[in-house]
Amino acid sequence: MANPKRKHSKARTRKRRSGYYGGLGRPDTMACERCGTAKLRHRVCPSCGTYRGRQIIEVEDAV
Ligand SMILES: [Zn+2]
């Protein structure tokens, strides 16, 4: 049976994990179609409070 000859170094394991699990994934952003700011995909825009052209939440900016 194929077996690893050597134990992986901590650096090797950590380098691998840095890409996906345990590490920060790359933030999945896009420009909002209404106000144009960068927002997360499939989320309500934090700036104007809309998602897919509909007003979802009220955003008060001048408090
Ligand atoms: Zn927006």
Side-chain angles (χ1 to χ4, degrees):
M1 293 290 266
N3 247 342
K5 193 168 187 176
R6 292 222 164 263
K7 177 184 174 178
H8 283 187
S9 67
K10 285 174 195 164
R12 185 173 165 159
T13 302
R14 286 166 185 171
K15 259 186 262 180
R16 171 167 43 88
R17 287 184 184 172
S18 71
Y20 50 111
Y21 65 115
L24 293 167
R26 92 190 109 82
D28 206 4
T29 56
M30 61 173 290
C32 173
E33 62 273 4
R34 185 172 136 155
C35 64
T37 53
K39 70 173 195 67
L40 290 169
R41 296 186 85 92
H42 307 117
R43 296 293 187 277
V44 175
C45 174
S47 173
C48 64
T50 59
Y51 182 68
R52 290 174 69 92
R54 288 168 48 213
Q55 190 77 32
I56 309 293
I57 52 169
E58 294 299 322
V59 180
E60 63 266 43
D61 31 19
V63 180

